[in-house]
Structure formats: structure tokens, C-alpha cells
Amino acid sequence: MIGIFGGTFDPVHYGHIKPALDVKQSLGLEELRFIPCSIPAHRAAPIATAEQRLDMLHAAIDEHENCVLDERELNRQGVSYMVDTLQSLHDELDGKNFCLIIGMDAFLGLNQWHQWRRIFELANCAVTYRPGFELNLAQLPVDLLNEVKLRQVESVEAFVIKQQGAIFFMPVTQLDISATDIRQSVKYEKSIEEFVPPAVNNVIQQQKIYAG
Ligand code: ATP
């Protein structure tokens, strides 16, 4: 199974990398693909350029085995919809199974995503807990709750045998880090060493990304 981790990565930080590597390890994923979006559907456009985000991602993941930077969303016109990304991965890598890795904050709004139910026809979903975002079933929108009831599995063993459509809530390393806070820190010349790998910090400093 191939892990798919999409985001703005503006910048990529330990709160992205560590949970994604935890999922890779726990599920025995053959590969982990980081897919930076071009035009996000549900948030403001990134501050860093696409090239800068790629430089930061390379700096973050090149040292990790079987981690790949996938540029397909940046090479596509228009809004970056995950459903299109998953379809194009299927077209290219016929016969592979995919696991979409998605943080809890993003999962709670999944029913707003373009053609969101089709995502379950194209991939399994590993939902990772994130500090500050609880899974409260009573507060889930009813259409999303119904999908959870239908699709949730409770163990790694049950999840990895599914080809698509399963939802698994995974405990991962909890790091209260946000890209927004990192951008603010850089702007006010505060250290971000704790939050990003040294190689990412170097790219940010050298290219003066997010500088005030
Ligand atoms: P911001 O902090 O500005 O909101 P972000 O890091 O949440 O940015 P993205 O880069 O789009 O934004 O996030 C990509 C994915 O990483 C999303 O699924 C998000 O839930 C997850 N994620 C981001 N930060 C963390 C974190 N600290 N812990 C766990 N998951 C995270």
C-alpha cells in the first residue's frame, strides 16, 4: 500500500513528518508520497512559492527511505482536488492500493471536499490525531458520521487487508506545531529550530522565506 499525504506544506514541519512516518511504520507502507497542492480548495493560497515549498519538502524528506515528493498537483491546472490526484495515481500505478493520510482537523471537514465520497472508492483513509482536534462522533456532520459507521476498522490488521474504503483513526506522535505559527515566528525573527528539521530551516533562512 502506498501512503498519500497531501497538504500546503507552507512550510513542512515535524508535525507533518513524524505522524506520517509513524503511519508508514505502523502500516508497513511500501512508499510514502508527499503531494504539495497547487491551489488549495479550502484555505488561502500558500505564502511560499511552489518552488520554495518543493525545496523545503526535498530538504525534509530526501533523507527518509521510501519517501517520495510527488509534483502532480503542482503540474495540474486549477484547484487541487484530492479525488483527481487519487484517480491519476490509479491511472499511473495500476493495481496499487492507496492510503490517504489525513490529519483530524482536515478529516472533520472531509464532507466539504470535492466528490468526497468517491475518495472511499479510490483509497483507504488513515486519520491521524492532532493536538486540539478531538474526534467527537456526536459532533460529526451526519453524512460523514454515516460513512464512519460504515467504514471504520479498529485494527491495523483489519485496515491493511482492505483495498479501499476503510477508515482507521490512528494514534501518532502528538506535536502541537502549526505552519501558521512557524511563519509568524520567522517573521518576528524567532527560532523555529524545534519545529522543522535543520535542512528545512536552512532553506527558509537562505531564501528568506516568510521574512517580514
Ligand atoms: P496551518 O498550521 O497553517 O493550518 P497545516 O500544517 O495544518 O497548516 P497543511 O500543510 O495543509 O496545513 O497540512 C497537511 C496535513 O497535515 C493535514 O492533513 C493536517 O491535518 C496535517 N497536520 C498539520 N499539522 C499537523 C500536526 N501538528 N499534527 C498532525 N497533523 C498535522
Side-chain angles (χ1 to χ4, degrees):
M1 203 182 300
I2 297 178
I4 303 299
F5 191 37
T8 45
F9 303 119
D10 187 27
V12 62
H13 54 68
Y14 284 131
H16 299 125
I17 302 160
K18 293 217 160 125
L21 290 173
D22 287 349
V23 174
K24 178 172 178 277
Q25 165 92 21
S26 303
L27 301 180
L29 298 175
E30 63 185 89
E31 185 183 291
L32 181 55
R33 285 194 182 217
F34 289 76
I35 310 190
C37 67
S38 173
I39 304 173
H42 299 290
R43 54 185 302 154
I47 305 294
T49 65
E51 262 182 23
Q52 289 170 331
R53 289 185 295 133
L54 285 174
D55 286 347
M56 293 187 281
L57 274 161
H58 272 301
I61 68 175
D62 284 356
E63 62 171 304
H64 295 288
E65 219 179 317
N66 301 322
C67 286
V68 171
L69 183 45
D70 183 319
E71 300 183 21
R72 75 189 57 226
E73 291 192 355
L74 296 173
N75 294 333
R76 208 163 67 210
Q77 297 295 315
V79 176
S80 306
Y81 293 121
M82 183 49 75
V83 72
D84 297 337
T85 301
L86 291 172
Q87 184 61 60
S88 84
L89 284 160
H90 270 281
D91 295 345
E92 185 185 315
L93 303 167
D94 196 23
K96 291 284 185 193
N97 294 330
F98 298 97
C99 169
L100 178 63
I101 300 168
I102 172 170
M104 185 61 80
D105 56 311
F107 178 76
L108 295 175
L110 186 72
N111 62 331
Q112 306 296 315
W113 290 23
H114 183 59
Q115 298 185 359
W116 66 283
R117 285 193 174 89
R118 260 197 74 218
I119 289 174
F120 300 122
E121 294 167 20
L122 297 166
N124 286 320
C125 286
V127 184
T128 55
Y129 286 94
R130 177 175 184 179
F133 297 91
E134 299 300 319
L135 176 63
N136 183 346
L137 292 180
Q139 284 179 5
L140 270 193
V142 93
D143 48 4
L144 189 52
L145 177 63
N146 287 339
E147 296 296 335
V148 170
K149 283 183 181 159
L150 203 67
R151 302 177 177 285
Q152 186 180 1
V153 298
E154 303 279 359
S155 70
V156 168
E157 293 73 21
F159 187 70
V160 294
I161 57 170
K162 300 277 186 191
Q163 296 189 337
Q164 74 276 311
I167 298 175
F168 186 33
F169 296 100
M170 295 188 68
V172 290
T173 308
Q174 292 296 284
L175 295 170
D176 193 3
I177 301 175
S178 96
T180 308
D181 291 348
I182 293 174
R183 293 194 300 272
Q184 283 294 105
S185 294
V186 176
K187 188 171 166 190
Y188 295 110
E189 295 178 15
K190 289 202 265 176
S191 167
I192 55 165
E193 269 174 22
E194 265 182 84
F195 310 127
V196 299
V200 174
N201 198 7
N202 285 342
V203 174
I204 292 173
Q205 305 306 334
Q206 278 164 14
Q207 299 191 25
K208 300 189 172 26
I209 310 172
Y210 314 120

